[in-house]
Each structure stands twice: as C-alpha cells, then as structure tokens.
C-alpha cells in the first residue's frame, strides 16, 4: 500500500501534550501476518524472570536478532517528552468482522473517511507504554499485557471490536523491533514510548458504531519527563468549576474525549501558576478523584500507608497498579477507597503517577474560593519524599533490568 507523505508541523503548548514535528517522507509499507493467539507457555517465555550477572551478553551479541538499540542519529541526552519522527508505525484494519494483516508503514499520515465515527462521535481510545534497553543490549516492554487488557475495556465502552491481547503484544513487539534504532540506549534515562490507538474509521452520520476500525501503534523516543529523572515537587490546584468525568460516564475508559475535556482547566491552572490539576468527584465535590493525566496517591509514612482513590470514574493506572505491588512488597498497607478532601491533611507525600513520568511529587494542593482567593492549602514535602523516591527508583530499576523482575512485568522484544 502506498501512502503519500507531506509535512504538517504542530507544536505542543504544555508538558502534557505531544508536539508534532515533520517526519521524513516515505511511501513504503511492509505487511505482517496477524499472529495467532500466543499460548500461556509461549507468552511466559517473553517475560524477563530476573537478571543474573553470569548471563550477561555483550551489546553486539544480544542485539543480533532484533538489531542494536540507540543507533539512530539523535541527541539521546537531550530528549524530552515530545513527538519525534521514527522509521515506521504499525497499522491494522478491522473489516467484515475480522482484523486484517498488520502493516509497518513509514508514512506518518492516514487517509481517513470524512464520515469516520472517530471524527464525529469520538469513537476513539488509546494507550501508552514504554520499551527500555537493558545493559546487555536487549530491549523489553513494560507490562504490555496490561495495556492490551485496558484498551479492550476502553474499546468495549464505546462499542469497538476487541483486539486479542496476544495480537496487541505482537503488534507492539513488531513495531519496536522495526524501530529498534530509536530505542534510547541503556544509561540515557530514555525509553521508546508506544502509543497504540484504536478508532472508528468507517463512515456513519447517524449515531451508531462504525463497521470499520483502524488500530495503529506509533513509537517515539523520549527522555525523562523531567530533566534528571525526578522533579522537585510541583504545586497543584484543586479544580472546582470543572469536572473530569461523570459518575456513570467514561472516566474509567482511556477515550480521547476525556483528555479534551481537561484542556481548558489545565490551561487555566497553569495561568494561575499551578502545573497540575486535581479533580474531585463530580457528584459532591467532596472526594479526591485524579489528576488531569495521572492517578492520585497519598502516602502516610508514619503508618506506612499507601492510599489511592477507588472510583468508577477514575482510569485504572498500570503505573499505579505496579507501584501498589511494590509498596506491598515493602510492607506498606495499600488502601483503595474514597478519600475525602479533608483527609489530604493526613498525608506526608502526595504523588501523581502515570506512564510518562512514573511519579510526579506534589508539594501542595490549593483550593480557591469563588473569588479566586486561597480557601485552603494542603502542604506536603518540599523536596522529593523518601517513599516517592524509593518507589520511583524501584520501578525504574525493574524497567531497566537492574533488579530482579519478581512479577514478570518485562516482555522481551524478539
């Protein structure tokens, strides 16, 4: 299939958006077979079960099958979290009740019908995950099985077809393999960010699901979201005059519209000097829900408690799920429950967690009155908290292959 290329520069306006820049022109694509379901035994072999000092290979030896990571001509030490052109993206189309063959496509543009349901009715959902180079030159994806499950939960909520989890993992594997040169090298602090996207590409004018769907996985080399790996705590604003999601709405699905709804409050908060927004429950505005693009975690160090909201309108974060497991491993009590706003006073540390940054330490949360004056301020640590730092270091060490992968979260690219 030939797809024409052109240039369409777009520029990101905040740290929470991806800025699009021109990609090199190309018209070629490579068809790949749609994989059969992978057996549990086969899938288990894709995990990394730990690192042994006696089994390390040289970079060249470990890289012969898929190629060497970090060989693209990029300023690896200067990468931020923004769009950069790569070799290809993967594309699959669903027609006549089944998924077609996967293709690796070098053009960064899509030819989409003007009546596509994604454009008119928001029939679109996406994911975010990362692949990391290890010190032996191998490359691993972090928990793609969980992303495969979540994209299906999101798609189901807006009536889109299921992608078998094994097919999802294989698609991610193949696009990373084709773009292996763009995986930041071990020690750079970077990763290859994967953005799987599923959307209605068939035409409908009446409100109903499409008959055709397109699934793509694009990849972007990214550095630390904040220079140095873990930023100093940021000040957050408790949002009063907007809601992120209705109690029985689509807040628990990673659909595109959830993020569009945050654009105005996000920009307004930044204009007031707050880099991050915290939303409350839409029904009563008395309980903590989540940040704009991240889950909320409260840490009580004295009682070794890790507390995070449990709500049907909060997106279940894979990062949060991972951090909860690590916290339990370290003997902390993990609580998923309602958190009333006043309980913010009980936490020593507050965290926003997500794929892009792993954790963002929050130094304070401010609530404004109707006149825009400070009504309440909940103060946490001035520097990165001890628990925040420990959780961050542990999950990053697992992702980088520097400690034992006790829970089999890493999937090898092969």
């Amino acid at each position: 299939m030939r797809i024409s290329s052109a240039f369409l520069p777009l520029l990101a306006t905040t740290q929470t958006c991806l800025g699009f820049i021109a990609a090199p022109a190309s018209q070629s694509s490579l068809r790949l077979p749609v994989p059969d379901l992978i057996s549990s035994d086969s899938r288990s072999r894709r995990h990394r079960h730990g690192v042994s000092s006696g089994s390390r290979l040289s970079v060249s030896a470990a890289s012969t099958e898929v190629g060497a990571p970090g060989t693209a001509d990029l300023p690896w030490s200067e990468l931020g979290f923004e769009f950069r052109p790569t070799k290809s993206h993967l594309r699959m189309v669903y027609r006549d009740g089944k998924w077609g063959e996967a293709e690796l496509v070098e053009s960064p543009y899509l030819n989409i019908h003007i009546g596509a349901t994604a454009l008119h009715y928001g029939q679109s959902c996406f994911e975010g995950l990362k692949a990391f180079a290890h010190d032996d030159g191998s490359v691993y994806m972090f928990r793609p099985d969980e992303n495969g499950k979540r994209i299906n939960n999101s798609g189901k909520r807006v009536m889109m077809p299921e992608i078998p989890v094994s097919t999802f993992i294989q698609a991610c594997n193949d696009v990373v393999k084709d773009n292996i040169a763009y995986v930041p090298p071990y020690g750079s602090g970077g990763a290859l960010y994967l953005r799987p996207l599923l959307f209605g590409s068939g035409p409908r004018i009446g409100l109903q699901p499409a008959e055709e769907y397109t699934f793509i996985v694009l990849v972007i080399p990214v550095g630390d979201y904040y220079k140095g790996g873990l930023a100093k705590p940021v000040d957050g604003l408790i949002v009063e005059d907007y809601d992120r999601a209705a109690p029985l709405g689509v807040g628990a699905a990673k659909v595109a519209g959830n993020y569009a709804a945050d654009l105005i409050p996000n920009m307004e908060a930044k204009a007031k000097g707050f880099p991050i927004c915290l939303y409350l429950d839409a029904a009563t505005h008395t309980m903590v829900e989540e940040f704009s693009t991240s889950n909320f975690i409260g840490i009580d160090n004295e009682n070794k408690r890790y507390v995070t909201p449990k709500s049907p309108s909060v997106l279940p974060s894979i990062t949060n799920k991972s951090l909860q497991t690590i916290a339990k491993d370290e003997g902390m009590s993990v609580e998923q429950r309602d958190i009333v706003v006043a309980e913010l006073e009980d936490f020593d540390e507050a965290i926003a967690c997500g794929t892009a940054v792993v954790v963002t330490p929050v130094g304070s949360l401010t609530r404004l009155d109707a006149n825009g004056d400070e009504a309440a301020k909940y103060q946490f640590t001035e520097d990165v908290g001890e628990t925040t730092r420990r959780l961050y270091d542990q999950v990053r060490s697992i992702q980088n292959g520097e400690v034992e992968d006790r829970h089999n979260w890493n999937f090898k690219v092969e």
Side-chain angles (χ1 to χ4, degrees), residues 100-136:
E101 293 181 334
E103 296 177 287
L104 290 166
V105 183
E106 294 189 359
S107 169
Y109 297 99
L110 292 167
N111 186 14
I112 188 169
H113 197 286
I114 59 172
T117 56
L119 301 178
H120 295 264
Y121 300 118
Q123 205 179 17
S124 172
C125 64
F126 66 95
E127 276 299 320
L129 64 152
K130 288 179 177 178
F132 300 85
H134 290 189
D135 64 349
D136 64 357

Side-chain angles (χ1 to χ4, degrees), residues 47 88 124 142 162 190 217 229-231 279 286 293 297 322 351 353 392 402 410 414:
H47 287 289
S88 65
S124 172
F142 187 69
E162 179 180 346
V217 186
L230 195 59
Y279 287 94
T286 62
T293 59
I297 302 168
S322 304
I351 300 170
C353 74
Y392 172 84
E402 296 165 344
N410 291 325
E414 53 191 15

Side-chain angles (χ1 to χ4, degrees), residues 147-220:
N147 294 96
K149 296 172 188 175
R150 192 170 67 177
I151 199 170
N152 283 328
N153 289 335
S154 298
K156 182 179 179 180
R157 180 62 179 83
V158 290
M159 297 190 70
M160 293 196 288
E162 179 180 346
I163 304 167
V165 172
S166 61
T167 300
F168 178 93
I169 295 171
Q170 189 67 49
C172 292
N173 177 89
D174 291 345
V175 74
V176 173
K177 184 176 178 179
D178 199 49
N179 290 273
I180 201 74
Y182 293 89
V183 179
Y186 175 79
S188 67
L192 190 70
Y193 179 78
L194 286 73
R195 171 61 64 84
L197 170 66
L198 172 63
F199 63 93
S201 49
R204 293 288 194 192
I205 294 302
L207 179 57
Q208 55 186 311
E211 292 184 345
E212 176 191 291
Y213 296 87
T214 298
F215 172 64
I216 66 173
V217 186
L218 59 94
V219 296
I220 308 158

